[in-house]
Amino acid sequence: MTSSSASSVSSALAPYGWDEAWAAEFAPYDTEGLLPGRVIRVDRGQCDVVTADGILRADTAFVTPHDPLRVVCTGDWVAVEPGGNPRYVRAYLPRRTAFVRSTSSKRSEGQILAANVDHAIVAVSLALELDLGRIERFLALAWESGAQPVVVLSKADLVPDAVTLSHLVQDVETSAPGVPVVPVSSIDGDGLDVLAAIVAGGTSVLLGQSGAGKSTLANALLGEDVMTVQATRDADGKGRHTTTTRNLLALPGGGVLIDTPGLRGVGLWDAGTGVGQVFSEIAELAERCRFHDCAHEAEPGCAVLAAIETGELPERRLDSYRKLLRENQRIVAKTDARLRAEIRKDWKRKGAIGRAAMEAKRGAHRRS
């Protein structure tokens, strides 16, 4: 690539996140005469790629392996053919981050939702009662992806009382240590400047259930009605499903936004590190437990249970932590034979302990 062509590529793709590091990664494909570009939409084996030559439609057949985590997805940087009918994506560059969830299929495959994301924005509608457990689930996946999570409490105009809104923010902050929590109203503009400043620093993905107000937020950040928005249902306060594909859009104030369809299911996918990050205060308490392998159930000297007794740790947090750990362990065990064996060994050990305890009780009764 000549210096002039490299300059034109840089100026055309910089608004989409192109930088010197990506240019270095692409260098081997440049010698083959391929074009660099970023995937802005994927649809049935084809994708739209923004390049210095404009938006190109390309087939992904050459880079669609059996592993669903290695398919081309929105946010990928790719090497695409300059011509041809059909035109093909030849490769995608190594991902810096990847947002992955498990599918609802019995095979428990991972599904990649977005790649090369810096901020994972979890949109939560204040039109409904807060579901802190669901927020924690989203945050576990976000932390695991490598992105910085942000919780946006949308439709804040529906909570006009400032004290009530403050309490809701505090409830979420308690469930989201280390995560910014931003109440936003797309109607009156409150909080949009804070959110715009966050997303200006890279690529952000909008996540949440249908009706969370993601498309409205996207339009507010874009400054125009790019995403279709439907009215909220009067019966239950939920918005109708609007976005049907993942779309990558350059923001006028800087940064890139990936809007996603509403997620009905948010299954964990090998997110042990993310779960630990969401419940970091439990990990800190566990360091003070008497036993290093404390299960925080009935062991003496358990600092986690002591924190629940004093009110320092809400019992709901521990219950949610256990639930997500169990779910993640099941998912990983389905694809990790060694872990399955370890789980079976642990079950046998616990069973032996239980049987020994029962025998001890019976012996005590007989002696009495």
Side-chain angles (χ1 to χ4, degrees):
M1 189 182 296
T2 65
S3 59
S4 60
S5 60
S7 177
S8 64
V9 166
S10 179
S11 60
L13 297 181
Y16 292 90
W18 184 257
D19 56 28
E20 291 182 0
W22 286 123
E25 289 280 5
F26 186 79
Y29 302 105
D30 179 41
T31 60
E32 300 177 26
L34 300 174
L35 297 175
R38 193 166 195 190
V39 177
I40 60 175
R41 176 188 169 105
V42 178
D43 182 23
R44 298 179 182 178
Q46 293 190 314
C47 63
D48 293 334
V49 183
V50 60
T51 72
D53 293 346
I55 296 177
L56 307 177
R57 186 72 168 168
D59 196 297
T60 65
F62 274 97
V63 284
T64 304
H66 295 298
D67 184 352
L69 296 181
R70 297 175 62 193
V71 299
V72 171
C73 75
T74 303
D76 271 327
W77 285 100
V78 297
V80 64
E81 294 175 342
N85 187 20
R87 187 192 311 265
Y88 288 99
V89 170
R90 289 292 178 174
Y92 64 81
L93 302 186
R95 293 162 177 158
R96 294 177 182 175
T97 62
F99 193 95
V100 181
R101 68 164 178 173
S102 69
T103 65
S104 57
S105 68
K106 293 182 179 180
R107 291 180 294 177
S108 298
E109 293 178 333
Q111 177 189 22
I112 184 164
L113 299 181
N116 303 312
V117 171
D118 300 293
H119 297 99
I121 302 172
V122 180
V124 180
S125 172
L126 290 178
L128 299 171
E129 184 177 352
L130 287 177
D131 185 342
L132 298 177
R134 178 171 288 272
I135 294 173
E136 289 161 347
R137 179 180 292 272
F138 269 109
L139 292 177
L141 292 174
W143 280 120
E144 192 69 32
S145 75
Q148 165 66 51
V150 179
V151 176
V152 169
L153 301 180
S154 65
K155 307 180 184 181
D157 50 282
L158 298 179
V159 188
D161 181 67
V163 174
T164 302
L165 180 60
S166 176
H167 287 159
L168 291 172
V169 171
Q170 289 175 10
D171 287 344
V172 177
E173 287 176 338
T174 300
S175 300
V179 177
V181 179
V182 185
V184 171
S185 170
S186 300
I187 301 298
D188 55 31
D190 287 350
L192 281 175
D193 56 337
V194 178
L195 182 58
I198 292 173
V199 300
T203 298
S204 302
V205 61
L206 263 175
L207 305 159
Q209 290 181 283
S210 297
K214 298 188 303 301
S215 294
T216 303
L217 283 172
N219 286 335
L221 292 169
L222 288 161
E224 54 183 318
D225 290 341
V226 174
M227 310 305 295
T228 302
V229 178
Q230 295 185 18
T232 300
R233 294 195 298 255
D234 292 333
D236 55 11
K238 295 181 180 179
R240 297 177 178 85
H241 183 80
T242 53
T243 305
T244 56
T245 59
R246 288 174 280 280
N247 303 283
L248 184 147
L249 305 155
L251 298 172
V256 175
L257 184 69
I258 299 176
D259 191 21
T260 65
L263 300 176
R264 294 181 180 86
V266 195
L268 299 185
W269 178 258
D270 196 4
T273 300
V275 172
Q277 188 77 32
V278 175
F279 299 92
S280 57
E281 81 276 31
I282 294 180
E284 292 173 4
L285 287 167
E287 292 179 357
R288 304 203 300 264
C289 290
R290 181 183 302 176
F291 304 108
H292 74 277
D293 59 347
C294 183
H296 321 308
E297 293 177 350
E299 296 88 344
C302 175
V304 174
L305 295 180
I308 290 177
E309 288 293 328
T310 62
E312 178 185 354
L313 177 69
E315 188 170 1
R316 187 206 66 79
R317 286 281 285 170
L318 181 58
D319 291 342
S320 183
Y321 174 63
R322 287 169 172 161
K323 178 181 179 181
L324 293 184
L325 276 184
R326 287 194 300 267
E327 178 183 330
N328 190 68
Q329 191 179 53
R330 286 196 300 269
I331 289 294
V332 174
K334 289 181 179 180
T335 57
D336 189 326
R338 189 174 73 172
L339 181 59
R340 286 199 298 270
E342 290 177 355
I343 291 173
R344 283 196 295 269
K345 183 178 179 181
D346 188 50
W347 285 343
K348 290 179 180 179
R349 180 183 64 82
K350 289 181 177 179
I353 292 173
R355 287 192 295 273
M358 289 298 295
E359 287 298 326
K361 287 183 178 179
R362 291 193 187 101
H365 284 305
R366 285 195 292 268
R367 287 192 296 272
S368 60

